[in-house]
Amino acid sequence: MCGIVGYVGPNRDGRAQDVVMEGLARLEYRGYDSAGLALIEGETDGGVASGVAVRKRSGKLANLKQLLQDSPMPESTTGIGHTRWATHGGPTDENAHPHYGGEDDRLALIHNGIIENFHSLKTSLLEQGVSFRSETDTEVAAHLVARAYDECKDLTEAMRRVVNDLEGAFTLLAVHADEPGVVVAARRNSPLVVGIGVGENFLGSDVAAFIGHTREALELANDQIVTITAEKAEVIGFDGTPTEGKAFHVDWDAAAAEKGGHSSFMEKEILEQPTAIASTLLGRTDAEGALVLDELRISEEQLRAVTKIVIVACGTAFYSGMTAKYAIEHWTRIPCEVELAHEFRYRDPVVDQHTLVVSISQSGETMDTLMAVKHARELGALTISICNTHGATIPRESDAVLYTHAGPEIAVASTKAFTAQITACYVLGLYLAQLRGGSYAEEAQQVMRELHEIPSKVETLLAGMDRVREIARFMADTRSVLFLGRHVGYPIALEGALKLKEIAYIHAEGFAAGELKHGPIALIEPGQPVFIVVPGPDTPHGLHGKVVSNIQEIRARGARTLVIAEEGDEDVVPFADEVIRVPQAPPLLEPLLTIVPLQVFAAELASAKGLDVDQPRNLAKSVTVE
Ligand code: AGP
């Protein structure tokens, strides 16, 4: 999500524009919908510069390059550049970064991430007479750093004063005309690396930004600020204590650097899930801890009057909806149907003004889902889009939108968007529960706290996937794999099967475990691999025991049982050929964990078969035809 470049070169070597633009081009893979750069202009030896020049454009880098031809920038030693993936405010020229701070336009700032408390900070700045030119949370930070600079006349100190007041996840880079030859950057829970050159230094969201110039880099810890000049890179903590970054040598080539050194985008995106979930939870509560929705254009009265929810989506997004149905009905007591968007559109659904139609789409451009949303609106329903792509068609065609903040998903097989979609659906469910009152309204904040614990659990889980990878490599020649689950584990079984079909071209089927004896058990023969997603022992209605019985039934018929079970669940051990452990979590939150080994399994098996993991045959990332 967003690409960031910073550069300071030697005196009188005015190639900052070229270096920054090259870095932005190398970061294009991250996905973006606008781009811009800022250069210090009118530099003199040792003195202040005349100003900071900014050029920015919505759309692809080609638009920015055209602007640079039409309106050339000055030669400069110092620059920052940004590719933006819109979060707060649509992908427009005005919302593109950099943003000026202050009234004299002598400071420019770029930002990756989300400033969670920007509403209150902006309100306070507005009350003090500050005017804004964009809808972004970033511009708030730009004005705050500019004001701090006016007081302390030191860009590093100004940045330090401001970051301590910001909540959320962010990387910020700033330049000031009074300090030519300096770029200051700060990071909290958002990527930033320093490139160490000879007589020049770099900043980037990842090493791809500067790999054409240097392979020597510095890793920063969270809550650190780095100040680069042509000669040095100095690091301090947010408390001002001097510290040091961790030096490392980059031995990836440019293509590997784009993938963060991983073999595929899918692998990288699987590993990004802790961040995707955490970012999707960011900024969803107000100062009192109550849930709030983005860009809500539906009144609370209308939402209170909802008598039915229909979720429409396709593929992985559909399975995220199936997963969320269990929680939404449980928390809101509103009946919730989940339907494939292409089926919903072409039957005669019972929908009226008290029906809330929730569409889920990573791309926001899936034609089947778009048509379902349009149809729902024609029928008078209220429509909310859960979407990962700011400004896409589906959110624009909906009454309200709740964005997932998973960042761009490049691999065709969806992974981090899936867990982010479940997270967003849960936020919506809790919001509705809160609005409608009742017992779950009080529990909403407790569930939010439990959700906030999920990213670190996913992190732990991801760190222990070696055995899953071994199993996948061992199974590279397998021709058929079955997946069983129950309750929220059922859609996870379906999604696990879809992953394997999509990228490993293996016949894979997911079933509700309770359905086994109604047919699918006939497929079990000696050696048939079956993944079983086991609910935690605390799941109500004794479902855990029922699924353990299912494992016994298929094992007795020769199945090779690959059991995904909670830490500490010993009941499964006697009947499992392999036990894959996941951290304990409340039953409704388990899917955010149990899907992870299935994603890893599919990616590893596909790559063991020598297949293109990111671009499987016959599939497109965004299906824009019906
Ligand atoms: C998932 O791995 C697939 N690529 C596919 O099922 C996808 O989820 C579906 O086409 C919906 O896409 P969307 O989320 O962009 O609407």
Side-chain angles (χ1 to χ4, degrees):
M1 187 163 20
C2 298
I4 275 183
V5 185
Y7 174 71
V8 185
N11 250 351
R12 306 210 176 280
D13 178 353
R15 62 192 194 109
Q17 176 180 318
D18 293 344
V19 175
V20 169
M21 288 300 286
E22 182 195 325
L24 292 183
R26 288 194 190 273
L27 295 177
E28 270 194 299
Y29 77 91
R30 297 170 71 91
Y32 66 102
D33 40 39
S34 61
L37 76 165
L39 302 178
I40 298 281
E41 67 178 335
E43 293 164 302
T44 54
D45 284 344
V48 299
S50 59
V52 177
V54 167
R55 303 285 186 275
K56 51 190 190 172
R57 270 287 178 272
S58 61
K60 292 294 163 192
L61 272 184
N63 298 358
L64 180 61
K65 284 182 188 155
Q66 185 60 52
L67 177 66
L68 291 172
Q69 273 186 15
D70 299 344
S71 174
M73 295 188 88
E75 285 207 337
S76 177
T77 63
T78 310
I80 55 177
H82 190 263
T83 48
R84 173 174 187 253
W85 174 265
T87 55
H88 293 73
T92 62
D93 290 352
E94 295 73 28
N95 290 335
H97 302 202
H99 292 281
Y100 282 123
E103 282 169 14
D104 52 8
D105 291 352
R106 292 184 67 75
L107 175 135
L109 180 142
I110 57 179
H111 162 224
N112 177 15
I114 295 168
I115 299 168
E116 231 182 309
N117 58 334
F118 96 100
H119 274 300
S120 56
L121 294 169
K122 186 170 181 175
T123 307
S124 153
L125 285 169
L126 285 168
E127 283 165 7
Q128 295 170 57
V130 174
S131 53
F132 284 81
R133 301 176 220 187
S134 77
E135 303 158 283
T136 62
D137 50 346
T138 306
E139 198 182 348
V140 171
H143 286 300
L144 290 172
V145 178
R147 288 161 78 96
Y149 187 87
D150 288 344
E151 285 168 13
C152 68
K153 302 294 178 198
D154 180 293
L155 190 53
T156 306
E157 173 58 14
M159 182 70 91
R160 195 193 72 75
R161 290 184 186 185
V162 171
V163 288
N164 282 300
D165 291 334
L166 303 182
E167 291 167 16
F170 50 82
T171 301
L172 300 170
L173 264 67
V175 289
H176 198 294
D178 291 359
E179 293 190 26
V182 174
V183 179
V184 176
R187 76 165 288 241
R188 167 177 285 167
N189 294 323
S190 178
L192 177 68
V193 277
V194 186
I196 304 295
V198 177
E200 57 183 355
N201 286 310
F202 307 82
L203 296 164
S205 314
D206 60 53
V207 296
F210 49 74
I211 201 157
H213 301 277
T214 181
R215 286 171 183 268
E216 303 311 317
L218 275 190
E219 187 185 307
L220 298 180
N222 253 339
D223 288 3
Q224 289 189 339
I225 294 171
V226 61
T227 304
I228 63 162
T229 62
E231 302 304 330
K232 56 188 183 206
E234 290 180 330
V235 185
I236 59 169
F238 279 11
D239 61 359
T241 313
T243 180
E244 283 182 7
K246 192 170 147 206
F248 66 102
H249 176 78
V250 184
D251 48 15
W252 306 329
D253 61 18
E258 287 183 354
K259 294 170 191 157
H262 301 293
S263 56
S264 64
F265 281 111
M266 183 178 175
E267 184 78 25
K268 175 171 175 278
E269 287 157 9
I270 288 171
L271 296 173
E272 285 172 345
Q273 289 182 108
T275 311
I277 296 168
S279 301
T280 300
L281 289 170
L282 269 182
R284 303 302 188 190
T285 41
D286 64 15
E288 284 76 47
L291 282 135
V292 286
L293 273 192
D294 283 4
E295 296 192 15
L296 188 65
R297 298 185 291 273
I298 302 178
S299 70
E300 293 189 358
E301 286 64 38
Q302 284 172 299
L303 287 175
R304 274 195 204 96
V306 164
T307 54
K308 179 165 93 168
I309 297 170
V310 182
I311 298 178
V312 290
C314 303
T316 290
F318 172 72
Y319 295 140
S320 76
M322 268 183 86
T323 310
K325 169 190 162 83
Y326 293 84
I328 290 175
E329 284 195 337
H330 181 65
W331 292 331
T332 65
R333 308 314 299 151
I334 307 172
C336 178
E337 298 170 7
V338 189
E339 186 152 9
L340 289 164
H342 34 90
E343 289 297 317
F344 173 85
R345 169 70 186 86
Y346 294 104
R347 62 181 185 84
D348 189 12
V350 181
V351 166
D352 62 19
Q353 76 273 26
H354 297 307
T355 309
L356 179 65
V357 172
V358 179
S359 66
I360 308 176
S361 174
Q362 188 285 132
S363 62
E365 301 295 346
T366 300
M367 189 55 75
D368 289 317
T369 310
L370 175 61
M371 287 302 152
V373 171
K374 285 187 169 176
H375 188 53
R377 287 192 87 180
E378 280 160 16
L379 297 173
L382 301 168
T383 53
I384 291 186
S385 155
I386 289 182
C387 184
N388 196 41
T389 312
H390 224 278
T393 310
I394 295 173
R396 278 194 275 114
E397 291 286 336
S398 304
D399 297 309
V401 56
L402 198 158
Y403 283 109
T404 49
H405 295 303
E409 196 178 60
I410 313 270
V412 165
S414 189
T415 54
K416 63 176 180 173
F418 177 69
T419 41
Q421 284 161 349
I422 295 173
T423 306
C425 285
Y426 282 9
V427 170
L428 177 63
L430 293 169
Y431 177 76
L432 291 172
Q434 174 186 280
L435 263 188
R436 296 165 70 90
S439 59
Y440 285 100
E442 282 154 34
E443 282 180 41
Q445 292 184 21
Q446 168 61 21
V447 180
M448 280 301 279
R449 278 193 288 279
E450 290 164 349
L451 272 169
H452 278 287
E453 288 171 17
I454 293 292
S456 68
K457 292 184 181 183
V458 178
E459 194 98 56
T460 308
L461 179 58
L462 284 165
M465 284 290 99
D466 289 353
R467 181 61 189 149
V468 173
R469 291 195 168 91
E470 266 174 36
I471 298 169
R473 289 194 293 272
F474 172 76
M475 286 174 64
D477 295 328
T478 303
R479 297 175 64 85
S480 158
V481 183
L482 303 181
F483 295 76
L484 295 180
R486 192 153 184 166
H487 192 250
V488 285
Y490 169 38
I492 296 308
L494 295 172
E495 171 63 4
L498 177 64
K499 289 284 88 75
L500 204 55
K501 285 180 228 188
E502 275 186 297
I503 60 168
Y505 317 147
I506 289 178
H507 174 254
E509 291 293 330
F511 299 104
E515 193 66 8
L516 254 188
K517 55 189 167 302
H518 300 289
I521 200 164
L523 290 171
I524 304 297
E525 57 187 12
Q528 170 67 51
V530 185
F531 277 95
I532 306 100
V533 182
V534 182
D538 295 342
T539 309
H541 314 302
L543 281 186
H544 172 263
K546 290 187 165 61
V547 175
V548 173
S549 299
N550 292 141
I551 305 174
Q552 294 177 53
E553 285 157 18
I554 57 172
R555 187 91 177 313
R557 288 161 177 82
R560 180 158 183 262
T561 53
L562 307 156
V563 174
I564 299 175
E566 259 190 22
E567 293 290 353
D569 178 356
E570 295 306 316
D571 297 349
V572 298
V573 174
F575 316 110
D577 289 294
E578 296 282 348
V579 184
I580 300 159
R581 294 292 182 188
V582 296
Q584 291 178 355
L588 289 168
L589 308 195
E590 283 169 7
L592 294 165
L593 300 164
T594 49
I595 189 56
V596 172
L598 300 180
Q599 296 168 337
V600 171
F601 175 78
E604 188 69 23
L605 198 150
S607 85
K609 286 178 81 171
L611 298 171
D612 185 336
V613 173
D614 289 332
Q615 294 190 327
R617 68 186 180 200
N618 307 338
L619 291 173
K621 182 67 184 160
S622 182
V623 185
T624 52
V625 289
E626 273 195 271

